[in-house]
Amino acid sequence: MLSQMQRALRIVHSGWKARILTTVPERVKQMRVSRRVFARWMSAAAALAASGRWNPLVAPPNVAAQPVALKDLVPKGWLIGVAINQNQSDGRDGVAVDLVTRQFNAISPENLLKFQSLHPEPDRFTFDAQDRYVAFGLDHGMAVIGHTLVWHSQTPAWVWAATDGGLADRATMLERMRVHIATVVGRYKGKIRGWDVVNEALNDDGTLRDSPWRRGIGDDYIAKAFEFAREADPGAELYYNDYNLATRPAKRAGAIRIIKELQQRGLRIDAVGEQGHWRLESPTTTEIDQTITELRATGVKVMITELDVNLLPPAAPPAPGQPREPAANPYVDGLPDDVQQALARCYANAFRVFLKHRDDMTRVTFWGVSDGDSWLNRGRMNYPLLWDRQRQPKTAFEEVAKVLMAKS
Ligand code: G3I
């Protein structure tokens, strides 16, 4: 016969467990907790709550408060993603792992699947951390994105070098590209949802960037990359990815030329990515709206693939040993509230435009989990994302959540 206390514990157990669990990291949730342990917790929690040192409804500082999840708010079928680093895909950054798996349904690799990270020497591939990245996504039921197969940056010099140290010839460079794509895309066949096949092949005036790929192979290196990627995994989505497509109409026209050329060659391209490394005042919502409309008119879907909003003034790094100009790093002591509000408005306005184009778009990915993780710090204090350095949601998160919740 259950004693009164046991009955009380059972009721309390089920009620409070649900409430407390929102603030409890996943790894704790997996723990099997006996009623005795739970009772001990409850008395400890009650004592803490009574002392005012802990409020069970507010997340402790080392756990992200997550009242709502973006992945539950975006339009059906949309991917809402985040770029993660190796500390996160290896599970070492537990707080970020909680946030990532709670908030997002897609991941991108900030650096792990780049040529340099994967294929440092002609006959050596490195897949350990990369396999863990892919497994991280699949284990959490997320869409796993591949970034990026062919790029002019973070690619080892041997890829483009001839034995005499000059530029490798077309056949040699094509074969190196084919082997790389066949090996990498082949390894993750059926696991990676889609690949940024070619990244940043354009200058801001819409002409093709004079990269070693183009010098060695020719203008059709882009088409060859898409051809090799489709051969390696006919089921994977294939993307062209670039930046400033929303702020440089000539560059956008260049991207549209690339898409149409691939389509004319009968090659698969599923979507085009505008990276979205934006600022408070640029692009405007009209520019974002026009960009999505023009890119969608080619027939491919549109994605925002590396979203962040840079709040710092452009500034060259200080000379070695020289201090940085204070004006170049204005927010070392925190972000003023008016800038916090401006950032929230900027993100909310952008998401309103994305929702207007919900049938034209397939994905929005943030380039980093929280402010402290962002590439935009580079020795300064930047605040470009929706979560702060304590992994707590910022006003920008709340405003984006409101816009998504309000969607008709
Ligand atoms: O891994 C080395 C480490 O061993 C070394 O100790 C350290 C010190 O220099 O460097 C580490 O490599 C850094 C790498 O990030 C990993 O952290 C590189 O120096 C650094 O240049 C690299 O920066 C990445 C950058 O791409 C390189 O271009 C950023 O994290 C990453 O956010 C950024 O992402 C790009 C997208 O791929 C394409 N679009 C633009 C975007 C921002 O630049």
Side-chain angles (χ1 to χ4, degrees):
M1 233 319 273
L2 284 182
S3 71
Q4 263 192 331
M5 169 55 87
Q6 285 166 326
R7 259 202 305 281
L9 272 177
R10 182 170 299 190
I11 295 160
V12 171
H13 186 204
S14 51
W16 273 98
K17 185 173 174 196
R19 181 173 300 215
I20 298 269
L21 279 183
T22 59
T23 71
V24 173
E26 201 56 45
R27 61 188 170 285
V28 176
K29 283 187 202 157
Q30 308 307 334
M31 285 159 59
R32 304 283 345 116
V33 177
S34 73
R35 283 219 181 84
R36 187 180 309 287
V37 172
F38 182 75
R40 204 172 301 127
W41 267 15
M42 283 307 293
S43 53
L48 267 177
S51 68
R53 277 184 289 121
W54 177 54
N55 174 341
L57 304 178
V58 175
N62 65 345
V63 173
Q66 306 194 59
V68 293
L70 296 179
K71 68 182 179 188
D72 302 332
L73 302 177
V74 293
K76 202 166 174 346
W78 260 32
L79 293 179
I80 185 78
V82 64
I84 59 175
N85 59 38
Q86 189 177 343
N87 266 341
Q88 290 148 4
S89 52
D90 281 354
R92 284 191 295 275
D93 183 350
V95 177
V97 169
D98 291 342
L99 199 159
V100 167
T101 53
R102 166 95 167 102
Q103 291 291 334
F104 299 101
N105 58 18
I107 52 171
S108 292
E110 186 174 12
N111 287 295
L112 277 176
L113 292 182
K114 292 171 180 173
F115 209 128
Q116 175 179 291
S117 310
L118 267 169
H119 197 176
E121 287 143 32
D123 48 15
R124 185 166 74 88
F125 285 87
T126 51
F127 285 121
D128 297 351
Q130 291 76 8
D131 289 353
R132 293 195 296 273
Y133 158 76
V134 173
F136 176 95
L138 298 178
D139 293 352
H140 290 97
M142 304 172 87
V144 180
I145 304 300
H147 172 79
T148 176
L149 296 168
V150 173
W151 189 24
H152 66 276
S153 181
Q154 289 189 284
T155 299
W158 68 262
V159 176
W160 302 317
T163 44
D164 64 3
L167 191 67
D169 61 31
R170 174 178 167 86
T172 303
M173 216 182 277
L174 268 177
E175 181 55 11
R176 289 170 180 170
M177 180 199 278
R178 190 194 64 71
V179 168
H180 180 75
I181 294 176
T183 307
V184 173
V185 175
R187 184 181 186 87
Y188 300 120
K189 188 175 180 180
K191 295 179 177 175
I192 285 190
R193 164 80 67 91
W195 282 94
D196 291 338
V197 177
V198 174
N199 190 43
E200 303 177 7
L202 293 165
N203 298 313
D204 277 354
D205 65 1
T207 58
L208 285 181
R209 180 191 294 272
D210 185 33
S211 77
W213 288 117
R214 184 181 176 219
R215 289 199 300 278
I217 295 170
D219 292 2
D220 67 342
Y221 82 90
I222 299 171
K224 298 306 284 182
F226 277 81
E227 186 186 314
F228 295 151
R230 185 181 61 185
E231 279 166 12
D233 183 355
E237 294 179 355
L238 305 179
Y239 318 133
Y240 175 71
N241 195 50
D242 215 325
Y243 61 91
N244 285 355
L245 300 183
T247 52
R248 301 279 192 286
K251 189 169 190 172
R252 189 160 68 242
I256 290 168
R257 276 196 300 277
I258 288 175
I259 296 164
K260 288 186 172 170
E261 174 151 345
L262 292 169
Q263 292 167 329
Q264 277 145 19
R265 287 172 180 257
L267 291 166
R268 176 176 182 165
I269 174 166
D270 297 84
V272 58
E274 153 58 11
Q275 291 178 4
H277 295 297
W278 293 341
R279 287 184 163 278
L280 287 176
E281 67 288 336
S282 175
T284 63
T285 49
T286 306
E287 287 174 315
I288 299 170
D289 194 343
Q290 193 179 352
T291 296
I292 299 171
T293 302
E294 289 179 15
L295 294 173
R296 182 72 182 106
T298 63
V300 303
K301 291 284 188 167
V302 181
M303 310 179 297
I304 306 296
T305 57
E306 304 181 16
L307 186 57
D308 51 27
V309 177
N310 187 350
L311 299 179
L312 296 180
Q322 292 307 307
R324 190 183 294 279
E325 285 300 314
N329 199 11
Y331 309 131
V332 284
D333 302 321
L335 197 61
D337 192 56
D338 61 331
V339 185
Q340 195 80 263
Q341 300 304 327
L343 180 71
R345 280 193 303 277
C346 178
Y347 269 118
N349 291 339
F351 269 81
R352 286 192 189 90
V353 178
F354 300 160
L355 285 178
K356 176 185 172 197
H357 289 275
R358 72 190 71 186
D359 301 329
D360 302 329
M361 297 182 65
T362 52
R363 174 161 63 94
V364 176
T365 290
F366 293 90
W367 203 245
V369 175
S370 66
D371 290 344
D373 302 303
S374 173
W375 71 289
L376 285 170
N377 288 307
R378 293 178 289 193
R380 298 193 284 173
M381 288 284 278
N382 212 327
Y383 304 78
L385 296 161
L386 301 190
W387 282 270
D388 65 21
R389 285 173 168 76
Q390 287 68 46
R391 289 6 196 322
Q392 299 304 314
K394 295 158 66 174
T395 314
F397 169 83
E398 290 153 18
E399 292 308 311
V400 167
K402 280 187 204 153
V403 167
L404 292 172
M405 280 193 259
K407 72 180 180 296
S408 51

